[in-house]
Amino acid sequence: MTINEIAELAGVSRATVSRYLNQGYVSEEKRERIRKVIDETGYQPSTQAQMLRTRKTKLIGVIIPKIDSHTISRMVGGISLVLAKRGYQLLLANTENNEQEELKYLKLFRENHVDGVILTGTIFTNKHRQVLKNYQVPIVILGQHLAGYSCVYQDDFQASRELASRMLKRCSCLCYAGVTLQDEAVGRGRQEGFWTALREAGREVDESLVAEASFQVESGKQAAKELLQRHPEMDGLLCATDDIAVGAILYLKHQGKRVPEDIRVAGFGDTQITQIVEPNLTTVHYYYKTSGEEAARLLLDLLEADKPVYREMKMGYEVIERASSL
């Protein structure tokens, strides 16, 4: 089956079929006739021929830090939804939070001529900045803010400030289990929100109120242990992620502490685990799937614009109070 045969069966010109296959303008009536013929014949356009003609591969590289993360899966779901509708395919690269793997995949995608890249949730080192400065492939940053690049990110500072302020109304000693400050969003943004809420409430800003964790449940247990040892009077614990919060709850229960009667606990992310753990976890809901959709749209805009315009998009959030902090 050729384009000429499709055109003859649909009763349109060859040029009209070509525009249809390349997402150009075709009237709704002719579009429907072409689509019907293609569905009935099972016609598949030559990918190689399209690539030679348009100089596009219709491939988008997506670099993620952790493939088994519920948060990341929601973002990828949003990206995939938008790209599929526009005829693009997604190439997924999982780095397991390894910065060198991120740099490797950035190079690999560039050398394999993807049309664009979405870089998700990373720590920007000097090497990252140097690679991105010289990167010749359109790129969108998802989950972090980076000046000079199109990016979609969460309002981590304000979300943390609001949630901490709510908890401080009920807690006399609120502590915080965070992640490395090299992470501008989950690390620095959320911790700065915590400090700001303390200052606004007239509380002492004491570094001993903070313990560093990683992104695992087990790390949440260790952070809760450290903080409880430093502050036996602790009656509130704000955690940078839901997994850290769940680990903290498990440790506190093992120590005979009641949640929320003795210690109130909250997290960030509104992942599935928040409604499985007992008591259900107070958390911040971020619109991760929508974030992925917006990142994909920003990238497609960069690909299709005559002159690229770089845009930043800060997403909203919602504090969801459940039994763990009430």
Side-chain angles (χ1 to χ4, degrees):
M1 182 65 63
T2 66
I3 288 182
N4 288 335
E5 291 171 319
I6 293 291
E8 184 178 348
L9 290 171
V12 299
S13 69
R14 185 185 189 283
T16 301
V17 176
S18 180
R19 285 199 304 275
Y20 174 89
L21 294 174
N22 290 287
Q23 286 82 50
Y25 173 75
V26 177
S27 69
E28 192 58 41
E29 182 221 344
K30 290 180 180 179
R31 181 176 293 277
E32 181 58 27
R33 278 153 53 189
I34 297 169
R35 186 198 61 76
K36 185 177 180 182
V37 170
I38 288 175
D39 286 347
E40 290 176 351
T41 61
Y43 171 76
Q44 290 289 332
S46 167
T47 302
Q48 287 185 330
Q50 283 188 317
M51 180 178 167
L52 289 171
R53 184 171 60 254
T54 65
R55 297 176 182 258
K56 290 184 177 181
T57 62
K58 305 296 283 188
L59 297 175
I60 300 296
V62 179
I63 301 174
I64 60 172
K66 193 177 179 186
I67 200 166
D68 59 350
S69 163
H70 181 62
T71 294
I72 297 299
S73 69
R74 283 152 68 183
M75 288 182 177
V76 172
I79 295 169
S80 179
L81 185 67
V82 171
L83 294 182
K85 287 181 179 178
R86 300 286 285 275
Y88 286 83
Q89 292 181 305
L90 180 154
L91 296 177
L92 200 60
N94 176 38
T95 68
E96 291 294 340
N97 285 304
N98 185 314
E99 298 165 19
Q100 294 305 311
E101 286 293 297
E102 289 177 351
L103 296 170
K104 182 185 81 174
Y105 280 120
L106 281 169
K107 180 181 178 182
L108 183 66
F109 283 148
R110 182 188 62 211
E111 292 176 348
N112 283 274
H113 307 294
V114 297
D115 291 338
V117 172
I118 296 176
L119 178 57
T120 311
T122 183
I123 295 173
F124 292 111
T125 64
N126 289 333
K127 286 185 178 180
H128 281 84
R129 296 176 191 277
Q130 188 60 44
V131 168
L132 292 174
K133 181 180 179 181
N134 300 313
Y135 211 58
Q136 296 177 329
V137 177
I139 189 165
V140 170
I141 310 299
L142 176 56
Q144 299 277 355
H145 174 264
L146 186 62
Y149 295 86
S150 286
C151 50
V152 179
Y153 59 101
Q154 314 305 324
D155 194 354
D156 291 288
F157 169 80
Q158 187 58 36
S160 179
R161 177 186 180 186
E162 181 177 340
L163 181 51
S165 294
R166 294 192 188 195
M167 295 187 74
L168 285 166
K169 293 177 181 178
R170 301 169 182 152
C171 303
S172 59
C173 181
L174 179 65
C175 294
Y176 181 78
V179 299
T180 175
L181 297 183
Q182 286 184 291
D183 186 317
E184 290 288 337
V186 179
R188 188 175 300 279
R190 295 179 191 179
Q191 186 166 316
E192 286 298 325
F194 170 73
W195 291 131
T196 298
L198 284 182
R199 295 187 190 98
E200 291 175 341
R203 303 290 182 88
E204 182 181 1
V205 176
D206 183 349
E207 293 289 340
S208 70
L209 295 172
V210 173
E212 185 174 311
S214 60
F215 289 86
Q216 286 79 38
V217 170
E218 285 301 316
S219 183
K221 293 180 181 179
Q222 183 60 37
K225 178 180 180 180
E226 290 178 20
L227 290 168
L228 195 59
Q229 287 174 344
R230 291 184 211 160
H231 295 279
E233 75 280 15
M234 177 176 72
D235 60 354
L237 178 56
L238 178 57
C239 302
T241 73
D242 289 338
D243 281 351
I244 295 173
V246 168
I249 288 175
L250 293 176
Y251 174 78
L252 294 172
K253 284 184 173 181
H254 187 264
Q255 296 303 116
K257 299 292 184 179
R258 298 171 301 164
V259 178
E261 291 86 354
D262 298 325
I263 301 178
R264 292 177 167 85
V265 180
F268 289 81
D270 195 23
T271 54
Q272 292 175 333
I273 201 170
T274 59
Q275 297 187 62
I276 297 173
V277 67
E278 182 60 38
N280 289 176
L281 184 65
T282 289
T283 187
V284 172
H285 177 82
Y286 291 117
Y287 300 97
Y288 287 122
K289 184 177 180 181
T290 303
S291 300
E293 293 174 353
E294 294 297 344
R297 292 190 185 102
L298 285 185
L299 183 59
L300 293 176
D301 287 346
L302 289 176
L303 292 175
E304 296 170 3
D306 293 330
K307 184 178 181 181
V309 177
Y310 299 99
R311 292 192 291 143
E312 300 176 358
M313 186 175 296
K314 183 191 290 185
M315 304 296 293
Y317 66 89
E318 180 183 358
V319 174
I320 300 177
E321 292 188 294
R322 299 192 179 108
S324 70
S325 70
L326 297 176

